[in-house]
Amino acid sequence: MAIKKRIFTPGPTEVPPRVLQSISRPLIHHRTDAFREVHAEIEEGLRYVFRTGNPVLVLTSSGTGAMEAAVANVTMPGEKVLTTPCGKFSERWDEIARAFGLETVRVEAEWGRPVDPSEVERALASHPDITVVLTTHCETSTGVLLDVGAIAKAAHDHGALIVVDAITGLLAEDVDTDGWGLDVVVGGSQKGFMLPPGLAFISIGPEAAARVKKPGHPVYYFDLAKALVSLEKNDTPYTPSVSLFMGLHTALEMVRAEGLEATLRRHRRNAAAVRAAVAAMGLEIFSHAPCNATTAVLPPEGTAGEIVKRMDGDYGIRIAGGQARLKGKIFRLGHLGYYDESDMFTMISALESVLKEMGIIEACGTGIGALLESFASDE
Amino acid sequence: MAIKKRIFTPGPTEVPPRVLQSISRPLIHHRTDAFREVHAEIEEGLRYVFRTGNPVLVLTSSGTGAMEAAVANVTMPGEKVLTTPCGKFSERWDEIARAFGLETVRVEAEWGRPVDPSEVERALASHPDITVVLTTHCETSTGVLLDVGAIAKAAHDHGALIVVDAITGLLAEDVDTDGWGLDVVVGGSQKGFMLPPGLAFISIGPEAAARVKKPGHPVYYFDLAKALVSLEKNDTPYTPSVSLFMGLHTALEMVRAEGLEATLRRHRRNAAAVRAAVAAMGLEIFSHAPCNATTAVLPPEGTAGEIVKRMDGDYGIRIAGGQARLKGKIFRLGHLGYYDESDMFTMISALESVLKEMGIIEACGTGIGALLESFASDE
């Protein structure tokens, strides 16, 4: 028998069979009441996940498309914005802002550490003309969780809007859109939403909605004002990715059946157990503020690439390597989305075997033992 | 038994079961050799369909996203471009161009008629500073075919680039990208490609590629220069819609198995038979230059909406109504994509029954008779 293929990356993540079935149903036309009903229920489900009363738009694009949509619709040319680069994806905000001709004030942190909200406060104080803060919830490339609640507070105290990339964070970590007053929150389908890639989500608060009405940059495909008008009739301005909408509908049903709190608890438990296992095997956790979506691990120098390769070759388990400046230095274990305790058993057992085979650890059992202990003690 | 649902719109079109199966296969990660091999074969298949040696990029967006990508990457701010509005989608080029601050010279035609290439020539002669022509191959809203070969010649004689929306045209009509020297051609998945919506295609000729390297407008998600570099490694800059790529791979296999010439012939035969049936039933064909993708029909005033409704309600057959200024005035029969002769039997028989029921025709048999005759006589 060929080995089974399993995906354990922080996106794309595993897609439940029920969702795959929904995606492969014969097409319905998007300008029909049947589609509009599905869309209305999707909207309700997204608001539940985002914890918001704001409209949440579904865009047919990658998450990056929604990030661009946020910048193009919410900022004005020449404005000064604050970014929080501390990894590949928080760096992306800075790149997009510069592509749109904005001046960016960078509040950075070393990769592996979160940006300090008090430094954001200080930067805002020195730049009274900053109007928008573009930040990241879970930095996927490093497994770092940023304190978005505190950064949002700093932004609001300053009178700036806060725009958050929660693509990897949503459903793995609490995203309290309304409680924290997040003006714009961006999500993506191939993450906690348990879908293939191809859809992005973007919530628009009242102040952002006012800006969206008079975009300062050229917008057409990502014209959010037009999309908001369409949404009132459960419609989209352009042909949506209908099959993925059907899958999203099913995935959101699954999320509601489990409940948001139970979903977050499951992610917290899986992540804590994986971290316990990694530490027990004597490997370093790369992130100094680890998030519950993915665990970035710093193995002995020069071994990361081989570990990723053997996990796939020997066990059919696809984990992620490092990106950009972390390429070949770290590996990342995914526990974001449709994963239960047994999945963690599989992933950590395979990892432990690979590490033993490579001579990085001496005997097997410590890692998986710590994983089981963590699950048992973490109610 | 509930009536079966059948889709006969000019997009989305029917998706073959084999393609639906490919879409619902468990995900593979996009940064793997397995995915790159699929992508390489897709690229080869797209070049076959586009009849080009130029690179053809696959974007995770609707077709409109690729239209925007063309304008954003190929034009410079303040440039003067020529558009050919004669329906909703050719009008879209003008809208996008204006959204990007371009001056547009409109060479229009009444909806239902194609723009005259000699008028394009004259407009180019009066505006020596026009640098790009943005035109449409099949105008979906009216079922009109434009003479893109002649418009391309006019553009080239003038020294302008030609950018073509062939979203509805590809696979229903010959698109000779290299023969006609088309600088940019845009396609979409939910049309002749027999896929759900969610992917767009864009071919980039050498002169366009030179412009793309120094885009004059802000681009990030739709940065075509970056996408062209990624394509060299069969990669995409951002997470692609993996499931739809898998479906596209299968759909292109099917196209190659049938052969492009046979595919075009099938579309020509289906379209000719449908037009013969419509004429035999005494209804007016709206288009004065009908394309082989969709047949727009002008029924007695005030009946179009009811016809569309009854086709769906009585037979589960979803055809399209009119759009924009044609809303409630015409209906559109789709024969673009995965349809054979038997599908045309079904669609026309149902239409004939509905027309009889509504008292628009007196007896059944004329339409379907003409359809069968057309198939029999059209080798």
Side-chain angles (χ1 to χ4, degrees):
Chain A
M1 193 190 89
I3 49 171
K4 298 189 190 172
K5 290 285 181 187
R6 292 176 164 91
I7 200 160
F8 282 95
T9 61
T13 66
E14 189 172 321
V15 180
R18 270 187 62 194
V19 174
L20 289 173
Q21 278 165 14
S22 298
I23 289 170
S24 64
R25 286 217 303 262
L27 268 188
I28 59 170
H29 196 282
H30 54 292
R31 305 295 184 216
T32 55
D33 288 340
F35 181 78
R36 286 184 202 105
E37 268 170 47
V38 166
H39 193 177
E41 287 174 19
I42 284 173
E43 174 67 9
E44 214 178 292
L46 288 173
R47 288 184 185 179
Y48 172 72
V49 171
F50 279 65
R51 301 184 64 190
T52 187
N54 296 334
V56 185
L57 297 165
V58 184
L59 306 179
T60 294
S61 76
S62 311
T64 303
M67 291 172 73
E68 164 161 339
V71 171
N73 284 270
V74 169
T75 71
M76 299 297 282
E79 266 187 335
K80 197 187 271 188
V81 302
L82 185 146
T83 59
T84 58
C86 56
K88 180 181 158 81
F89 296 96
S90 40
E91 190 64 65
R92 182 162 290 175
W93 275 131
D94 202 79
E95 289 171 12
I96 298 176
R98 282 182 287 115
F100 279 79
L102 304 175
E103 190 183 334
T104 69
V105 174
R106 295 166 60 92
V107 180
E108 297 182 62
E110 198 189 330
W111 286 33
R113 294 183 185 274
V115 166
D116 182 348
S118 67
E119 285 188 31
V120 171
E121 253 175 73
R122 273 196 295 278
L124 288 167
S126 343
H127 297 274
D129 51 344
I130 289 174
T131 50
V132 180
V133 172
L134 301 167
T135 193
T136 306
H137 188 216
C138 286
E139 171 52 62
T140 327
S141 64
T142 59
V144 162
L145 180 69
L146 277 77
D147 187 349
V148 163
I151 297 172
K153 190 177 176 305
H156 288 145
D157 288 350
H158 180 80
L161 270 73
I162 172 113
V163 175
V164 180
D165 162 9
I167 294 173
T168 296
L170 279 158
L171 288 162
E173 299 280 355
D174 188 25
V175 179
D176 190 0
T177 301
D178 287 357
W180 299 339
L182 307 179
D183 296 288
V184 176
V185 176
V186 171
S189 57
Q190 77 280 18
K191 302 282 185 168
F193 290 93
M194 309 180 288
L195 279 172
L199 292 181
F201 316 122
I202 182 166
S203 74
I204 313 283
E207 277 189 68
R211 278 181 161 240
V212 154
K213 277 190 193 136
K214 291 175 212 140
H217 305 282
V219 292
Y220 193 88
Y221 184 64
F222 291 130
D223 183 336
L224 298 183
K226 206 192 278 178
L228 285 170
V229 170
S230 292
L231 184 65
E232 284 171 24
K233 296 168 292 179
N234 297 308
D235 230 329
T236 57
Y238 311 115
T239 312
S241 194
V242 176
S243 302
L244 293 180
F245 271 68
M246 301 314 283
L248 176 58
H249 187 248
T250 300
L252 288 169
E253 265 176 17
M254 291 174 68
V255 169
R256 298 193 79 149
E258 182 176 11
L260 186 55
E261 212 169 312
T263 303
L264 295 174
R265 180 170 174 275
R266 175 167 55 81
H267 281 85
R268 186 180 51 66
R269 278 172 52 85
N270 283 348
V274 166
R275 288 194 294 265
V278 168
M281 290 187 285
L283 299 189
E284 196 177 324
I285 289 168
F286 182 71
S287 169
H288 292 264
C291 70
N292 292 331
T294 182
T295 298
V297 181
L298 190 67
E301 215 181 312
T303 64
E306 184 66 18
I307 292 169
V308 172
K309 212 171 135 187
R310 289 202 187 198
M311 287 288 279
D312 189 23
D314 298 352
Y315 296 98
I317 291 181
R318 175 89 201 163
I319 60 172
Q323 296 175 296
R325 70 180 74 160
L326 293 175
K327 204 165 180 173
K329 295 196 177 130
I330 63 166
F331 64 85
R332 291 170 299 149
L333 304 170
H335 28 77
L336 167 62
Y338 187 60
Y339 299 103
D340 61 9
E341 288 187 30
S342 300
D343 288 319
M344 298 302 107
F345 301 167
T346 307
M347 178 172 71
I348 293 300
S349 299
L351 178 62
E352 190 146 24
S353 301
V354 164
L355 294 176
K356 167 82 190 327
E357 188 76 24
M358 288 175 66
I360 295 171
I361 57 173
E362 280 180 23
C364 285
T366 328
I368 187 76
L371 183 89
L372 300 180
E373 288 293 344
S374 172
F375 277 128
S377 65
D378 179 5
E379 41 60 78
Chain B
M1 192 188 90
I3 50 171
K4 298 188 190 174
K5 289 285 182 187
R6 292 175 163 92
I7 199 159
F8 282 94
T9 61
T13 66
E14 190 172 320
V15 180
R18 270 186 62 193
V19 174
L20 289 174
Q21 277 164 16
S22 297
I23 289 170
S24 63
R25 286 216 304 262
L27 268 190
I28 59 170
H29 196 280
H30 54 293
R31 304 296 184 216
T32 56
D33 289 340
F35 182 76
R36 286 183 202 105
E37 269 170 46
V38 166
H39 193 180
E41 287 175 19
I42 284 173
E43 175 67 9
E44 213 179 293
L46 288 173
R47 288 183 186 181
Y48 172 72
V49 172
F50 279 64
R51 300 184 63 190
T52 188
N54 296 333
V56 186
L57 297 165
V58 184
L59 307 178
T60 295
S61 75
S62 311
T64 303
M67 292 173 73
E68 165 162 339
V71 171
N73 284 271
V74 169
T75 70
M76 298 297 283
E79 266 188 334
K80 197 187 270 187
V81 302
L82 185 146
T83 59
T84 58
C86 57
K88 181 182 158 82
F89 295 96
S90 40
E91 189 65 65
R92 183 164 290 176
W93 275 131
D94 202 80
E95 289 171 12
I96 297 176
R98 282 182 285 113
F100 279 79
L102 305 175
E103 189 183 335
T104 69
V105 174
R106 296 166 59 93
V107 180
E108 297 181 62
E110 199 188 329
W111 285 33
R113 294 182 184 275
V115 166
D116 183 348
S118 66
E119 284 188 33
V120 171
E121 253 175 72
R122 274 195 294 279
L124 288 167
S126 339
H127 298 274
D129 50 343
I130 288 173
T131 50
V132 180
V133 172
L134 301 167
T135 193
T136 306
H137 188 216
C138 286
E139 171 52 61
T140 326
S141 65
T142 60
V144 163
L145 180 70
L146 278 77
D147 187 348
V148 163
I151 296 171
K153 192 178 174 307
H156 289 145
D157 289 349
H158 180 80
L161 270 73
I162 171 112
V163 175
V164 180
D165 162 10
I167 294 172
T168 296
L170 280 158
L171 288 163
E173 300 279 355
D174 188 25
V175 178
D176 189 359
T177 301
D178 287 357
W180 299 339
L182 307 180
D183 296 288
V184 175
V185 177
V186 171
S189 58
Q190 77 280 18
K191 301 283 186 169
F193 290 92
M194 309 181 289
L195 280 172
L199 293 181
F201 317 122
I202 181 166
S203 74
I204 314 283
E207 278 189 68
R211 278 180 161 243
V212 153
K213 277 189 193 136
K214 290 174 213 141
H217 304 282
V219 292
Y220 193 88
Y221 185 64
F222 291 130
D223 183 337
L224 298 182
K226 206 192 279 178
L228 285 170
V229 170
S230 293
L231 184 65
E232 285 172 21
K233 296 169 292 179
N234 297 307
D235 230 330
T236 57
Y238 311 115
T239 312
S241 193
V242 176
S243 302
L244 292 179
F245 270 67
M246 302 314 284
L248 176 58
H249 187 248
T250 299
L252 287 168
E253 265 176 18
M254 291 175 68
V255 169
R256 299 195 78 149
E258 182 176 10
L260 185 55
E261 212 169 310
T263 304
L264 295 174
R265 180 171 174 274
R266 175 168 55 82
H267 281 84
R268 185 180 51 65
R269 279 172 51 84
N270 283 349
V274 166
R275 288 194 293 266
V278 168
M281 290 186 286
L283 299 189
E284 195 178 325
I285 289 169
F286 182 71
S287 168
H288 293 264
C291 70
N292 292 332
T294 181
T295 298
V297 181
L298 190 67
E301 215 181 311
T303 64
E306 183 67 17
I307 292 169
V308 172
K309 210 171 137 186
R310 289 203 187 197
M311 286 289 279
D312 190 24
D314 296 353
Y315 296 98
I317 291 181
R318 175 86 201 167
I319 60 171
Q323 297 175 295
R325 69 180 77 160
L326 294 174
K327 203 164 181 172
K329 294 195 176 130
I330 64 167
F331 62 86
R332 292 171 298 149
L333 304 170
H335 29 76
L336 167 63
Y338 187 60
Y339 299 102
D340 61 10
E341 289 188 30
S342 300
D343 288 319
M344 298 302 107
F345 301 167
T346 307
M347 178 173 69
I348 293 299
S349 299
L351 177 61
E352 191 147 23
S353 302
V354 164
L355 294 176
K356 167 83 191 326
E357 189 77 24
M358 289 175 65
I360 295 170
I361 58 173
E362 278 180 25
C364 285
T366 328
I368 187 78
L371 183 89
L372 300 179
E373 288 293 343
S374 171
F375 278 127
S377 65
D378 178 7
E379 41 60 81

